[in-house]
Amino acid sequence: MAGRAVAGAVLGALLWGCGLALQGGMLYPRESASRERKDLDGLWKFRADFSENRLRGFEQQWYRSPLREPQSGPTLDMPVPSSFNDVGQDGQLRGFVGWVWYEREAMLPQRWTQDLNTRVVLRIGSAHYYAIVWVNGVHVAEHEGGHLPFEADISKLVQSGPLSFCRITIAINNTLAPHTLPPGTILYRTDTSMYPNGYFVQDTSFDFFNYAGLHRPVVLYTTPTTYIDDIDVTTSVDQNTGLVHYQISIQGSEHFQLEVHLQDEEGNIVARGTGGRGQLQVPNAHLWWPYLMHEHPAYLYSLEVRLTVQTAAGSMSDFYTLPVGIRTVAVTKNQFLINGKPFYFHGVNKHEDSDIRGRGFDWPLLMKDFNLLLWLGANAFRTSHYPYAEEVMQLCDQYGIVVIDESPGVGIKLSQSYSNQSLQHHLEVMEELVRRDKNHPAVVMWSVANEPTSFLEPAGYYFKTLIAHTKALDPSRPVTFVTNSKYDTDLGAPYVDVICVNSYLSWYHDYGHLEVIQLQLATQFENWYRTYQKPIIQSEYGADAITGLHHDPPLMFSEEYQKSVLEQYHLVLDQKRKEYVIGELIWNFADFMTDQTPQRVIGNKKGIFTRQRQPKGAAFLLRERYWKLANETGYHPAAGKPPYLVKSPFTW
């Protein structure tokens, strides 16, 4: 697509601790004594461009005047954040492919528009897939990629006149092409005896619905004109002393003072530092432990950074507080270690997906999901198959839920999706993902892709380069991708730290034959480990179940069949976890929407919960298993107790 900003030399100019080629930080917009935030959630004006070429909005320059102007046509009220697809009753809009337009007018505090020492920033949490942004008709930003934030400094625009408001216009295109991430193709149907003139459909190779829109919060926030731009934290442990290594990037001046304080959960200062780079020593440190692995899991310190700069008008300060978890991660040939102790992933794969809001961020839904994870005794999930909202990652830090953080590299099937153009974009996406999530202790591993055709000849170079780049960006975490290729043909597997394997035995083949699962699964594990001598995670397994559909003996799509598949897998997992299998993640946490096909009855039904978060029989089976696993591994005194007897995360 036109307008994609290409980052600089991919592996050049490595910064201390993190080799980012991207310019600028992406700190979460927190309020402080020097920073204010204005959320723009709510109803925005919305219009889809149904013109044949989808370009009428650009031809008529809809960004130059309010969308509600009579000459540009009617608008809808569209909630933000949400996907636009399921909010209304228009079937055309649900499956729309092309440009849609959002608009919102925001009133600004007087000090934002009059104080020239204040910097005003517009931040879009997620716009799927390609976005162009104007403020008061002036182009301020473009971004490719539907799951990561981007920003624009709009200070000059809002401080250049008497207006106390700004008009924000965002055009979003959800079209997926062979070089986007995820990839897709547009299929043109030219047989006019069967299709209207100009008819086309979006084709993808992934099994979830291509929801689009402004999926996450849009905010305005302020900083001083000299400000804390980025903070990079890594941690290590020397006996009982926690070591917090930090580097701080400042923009706006080269002459400043920096003070750093590390506070414990009671607000006591446990370490101090000065300058933009250093190491803080924390005697008798409280380590960040996963849920059910310690009596006080998810311990978070607060790194308080104070910037002071002298200007002609006097002293200027900026303050930012970053949660910090002190922990280590390591991989051996048969174990995954957190703080030097073996960790076994027992959890789920998820989707950001629910009724009406689609992929839109929603606090009640998010808290329901975390309460269900705690109820299950799950200690981990993978962000299948794209980065989740920043608020999700923050809750994982606070609750001790371990995360495998995955890029949108799903559906990489076509040979052209391994081109240099695709690789360059994938490298940039990993830079954006690491830049955003590098400081989260809950994130213990990066996943660069899900189920690519890693047996194709170009895949070897592609994944070797991609994984090496991710390791250069963040040497502190292992890197993987999730495969469903054969062990002896996978050209990317030699470069990963952990083998993550998806398999659906007795579902996508050998339909209904539960008796073959144990043999086939044991063979799968043995082949992978013999070939690579690396720890293995069963990163997906499961079966569809229609809620309330029962059959004995078990038949496919019944709740009994779903439970039986899981039970057969568990028998083998219990054998192999004593050797080299380090985790199991069920597919899926909850039912989710997909494209319409004869194989899907209003979505994928492999959830152990319904799309409305109600349990199927398999949820109770997994709950019993996960609490038993926590108890057997001796993680924490309450591991064998039901969840309601475990201390609430709010009282830890």
Side-chain angles (χ1 to χ4, degrees), residues 196-231:
N197 284 325
Y199 191 84
F200 65 89
V201 293
Q202 173 78 74
D203 185 50
T204 59
S205 296
F206 51 81
D207 187 32
F208 55 91
F209 191 73
N210 187 34
Y211 279 115
L214 290 171
H215 284 151
R216 296 176 191 158
V218 178
V219 303
L220 291 165
Y221 73 93
T222 66
T223 72
T225 49
T226 298
Y227 60 96
I228 301 162
D229 179 58
D230 200 12
I231 305 172

Side-chain angles (χ1 to χ4, degrees), residues 1 4 127-131 143-147 150 172-177 179-183 210-213 408 425 429:
M1 283 183 180
R4 181 154 67 96
H128 186 77
Y129 173 78
Y130 191 89
H143 184 260
E144 179 175 0
H147 308 281
F150 61 101
I172 303 173
N173 194 325
N174 64 345
T175 305
L176 300 178
H179 306 302
T180 60
L181 207 66
N210 187 34
Y211 279 115
H425 179 46
V429 169

Side-chain angles (χ1 to χ4, degrees), residues 363-524:
W363 273 113
L365 178 73
L366 180 58
M367 291 313 306
K368 180 65 173 180
D369 283 1
F370 270 81
N371 285 325
L372 289 174
L373 289 171
L374 298 177
W375 178 86
L376 274 176
N379 64 8
F381 67 78
R382 173 170 62 121
T383 67
S384 47
H385 299 296
Y386 38 80
Y388 290 178
E390 294 160 280
E391 293 82 358
V392 175
M393 316 309 286
Q394 293 164 12
L395 283 181
C396 289
D397 291 342
Q398 296 167 25
Y399 281 60
I401 302 299
V402 167
V403 177
I404 301 173
D405 205 351
E406 189 162 271
S407 85
V410 59
I412 303 177
K413 305 295 185 183
L414 303 175
S415 58
Q416 56 261 49
S417 294
Y418 291 100
S419 68
N420 288 337
Q421 180 181 347
S422 296
L423 177 58
Q424 176 66 27
H425 179 46
H426 206 152
L427 294 170
E428 293 164 7
V429 169
M430 292 312 301
E431 290 175 6
E432 290 190 21
L433 177 57
V434 173
R435 178 176 65 174
R436 193 195 75 167
D437 290 348
K438 61 189 174 184
N439 294 322
H440 289 289
V443 175
V444 301
M445 185 157 52
W446 305 110
S447 171
V448 300
N450 176 77
E451 295 188 357
T453 48
S454 47
F455 53 85
L456 294 180
E457 191 275 332
Y461 173 78
Y462 188 96
F463 286 106
K464 179 181 180 180
T465 305
L466 186 59
I467 291 169
H469 184 51
T470 306
K471 286 178 174 291
L473 296 169
D474 178 17
S476 72
R477 291 178 176 89
V479 181
T480 189
F481 73 89
V482 177
T483 185
N484 64 347
S485 296
K486 295 181 179 179
Y487 76 96
D488 54 351
T489 61
D490 195 311
L491 300 177
Y495 308 109
V496 302
D497 296 303
V498 174
I499 302 290
C500 290
V501 183
N502 294 349
S503 61
Y504 290 92
L505 308 177
S506 300
W507 187 258
Y508 289 123
H509 57 82
D510 297 304
Y511 318 127
H513 290 284
L514 297 166
E515 66 275 8
V516 305
I517 292 178
Q518 290 188 50
L519 174 60
Q520 292 181 5
L521 186 59
T523 301
Q524 167 197 288

Side-chain angles (χ1 to χ4, degrees), residues 221-268:
Y221 73 93
T222 66
T223 72
T225 49
T226 298
Y227 60 96
I228 301 162
D229 179 58
D230 200 12
I231 305 172
D232 184 12
V233 168
T234 57
T235 63
S236 56
V237 179
D238 182 5
Q239 296 181 341
N240 291 328
T241 300
L243 304 177
V244 178
H245 314 268
Y246 68 88
Q247 177 162 315
I248 302 166
S249 171
I250 303 300
Q251 293 290 337
S253 176
E254 296 181 357
H255 306 287
F256 54 82
Q257 291 180 317
L258 274 172
E259 298 177 49
V260 176
H261 297 160
L262 191 70
Q263 293 187 355
D264 63 17
E265 288 188 348
E266 284 71 47
N268 303 308

